């Protein structure tokens, strides 16, 4: 015997240092995913907080579109951007000292009346209103033609029989109309219960025959950013534990193979 020891190297086993070196790229990608995810997640929330305001609806005057107790998100907009068919949040001291939700059915310069064959009439055109409860007329009680002054809005609730809206203020000095400047926001979605985005009142016999409708706000994009950010953060954070588990499994497999020899 020469007194020298012989060390047998198992093919494919470069030791723990190689495992750490091999995982360095994965660790960097994991950190990048977490960082990017945090930017998207927090950025989405920040964007949403700047653009949207939450409101809780206290009455059924906008039923079935929005029920009592529903939580809505409304996009902050300038009153000049309001169009027919929008559901808006406004505050007018002659109506109430709290924010009110109603649907805009006529804008400055329009003439509005009800009802012709059970339909609302704006600028001489009968308006189909698909958001009204099935089988109900456009108005609980008829009202004569109103000309909306420039810079003002005529608003109705979707639940016409129980809504205190412009028709209840026809004898006011403004003839039931509200200033565009009183509008605080436009409702984009019902978030509790999770009914989603409000359906646009589209149709050939709807408000589109009088002019373009409003486009939805960026809520879908905001939600997509938040979800993508959460997925990246969770996925990146899970890399470490999964990599350690995989490494331990490989080590046990390697140890078993060495012992077998």
């Amino acid at each position: 015997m020469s007194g020298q020891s012989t060390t047998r190297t198992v093919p494919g086993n470069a030791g723990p240092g190689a495992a750490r070196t091999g995982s360095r790229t994965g660790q960097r990608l994991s950190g990048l995913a977490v960082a990017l995810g945090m930017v998207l997640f927090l950025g989405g929330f920040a964007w949403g907080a700047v653009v949207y305001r939450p409101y809780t609806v206290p009455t059924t005057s906008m039923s079935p579109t929005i029920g009592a107790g529903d939580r809505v998100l409304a996009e902050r907009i300038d009153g000049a951007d309001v169009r027919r068919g929008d559901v808006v949040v406004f505050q007018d001291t002659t109506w109430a000292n709290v924010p009110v939700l109603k649907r805009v059915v006529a804008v400055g310069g329009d003439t509005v009346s009800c009802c012709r064959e059970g339909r609302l009439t704006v600028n001489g055109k009968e308006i189909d209103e698909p958001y009204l409860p099935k089988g109900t007329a456009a108005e609980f009680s008829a009202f004569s033609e109103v000309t909306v002054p420039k810079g003002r809005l005529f608003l109705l609730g979707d639940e016409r029989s129980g809504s205190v809206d412009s028709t209840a203020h026809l004898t006011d000095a403004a003839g039931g109309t509200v200033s565009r400047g009183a509008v605080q926001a436009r409702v984009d979605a019902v978030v509790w219960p999770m009914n989603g985005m409000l359906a646009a009142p589209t149709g050939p016999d709807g408000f589109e025959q009088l002019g373009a409708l409003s486009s939805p706000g960026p809520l879908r994009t905001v939600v997509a950013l938040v979800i993508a950010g959460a997925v990246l953060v969770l996925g990146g954070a899970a890399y470490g534990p999964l990599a350690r588990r995989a490494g331990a499994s490989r080590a046990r497999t390697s140890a078993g193979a060495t012992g077998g020899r």
Side-chain angles (χ1 to χ4, degrees):
M1 296 180 64
S2 63
Q4 294 180 346
S5 62
T6 302
T7 302
R8 176 180 296 176
T9 301
V10 178
N13 184 10
R20 285 194 295 271
T21 302
S23 64
R24 192 170 299 158
T25 300
Q27 290 172 353
R28 289 175 178 171
L29 291 176
S30 171
L32 181 61
V34 171
L36 178 59
M38 289 298 294
V39 170
L40 294 178
F41 186 80
L42 296 177
F45 266 113
W47 187 13
V50 169
V51 174
Y52 286 96
R53 297 179 64 177
Y55 294 91
T56 299
V57 182
T59 71
T60 60
S61 68
M62 284 300 296
S63 176
T65 306
I66 305 170
D70 286 1
R71 190 80 167 171
V72 303
L73 282 180
E75 181 186 6
R76 303 169 194 260
I77 62 169
D78 187 271
D81 297 327
V82 175
R83 296 178 178 176
R84 304 175 191 89
D86 290 346
V87 177
V88 298
V89 182
F90 66 94
Q91 189 162 349
D92 187 307
T93 55
T94 61
W95 289 49
N97 289 320
V98 295
V100 179
L101 270 76
K102 299 295 177 188
R103 188 181 296 272
V104 176
V105 298
V107 298
D110 288 347
T111 56
V112 56
S113 64
C114 196
C115 296
R116 184 189 300 173
E117 298 181 357
R119 286 187 175 187
L120 190 72
T121 302
V122 181
N123 296 342
K125 297 182 181 296
E126 296 179 15
I127 304 299
D128 181 33
E129 300 181 89
Y131 43 79
L132 295 180
K134 296 294 184 182
T136 62
E139 185 52 65
F140 183 66
S141 59
F143 61 90
S144 57
E145 186 174 273
V146 174
T147 299
V148 183
K150 293 292 184 182
R152 302 189 70 85
L153 306 168
F154 195 89
L155 307 104
L156 300 175
D158 288 358
E159 208 291 286
R160 301 287 161 82
S161 63
S163 174
V164 179
D165 48 36
S166 286
T167 60
H169 294 270
L170 292 175
T171 57
D172 294 351
T177 64
V178 171
S179 170
R180 282 183 177 270
V183 174
Q184 299 175 349
R186 178 175 56 221
V187 178
D188 225 7
V190 178
V191 294
W192 187 261
M194 298 178 66
N195 294 339
M197 302 289 288
L198 291 190
T202 56
D205 296 327
F207 292 111
E208 281 184 299
Q209 60 184 320
L210 302 175
L213 303 180
S214 295
S215 299
L219 183 59
R220 287 191 175 94
T221 304
V222 169
V223 172
L225 288 176
V226 171
I227 292 175
V231 170
L232 285 173
V233 169
L234 294 175
Y239 171 80
L242 291 176
R244 285 193 294 271
R245 180 175 296 180
S249 177
R250 287 195 299 269
R252 286 194 297 269
T253 302
S254 177
T258 302
R261 290 188 178 89

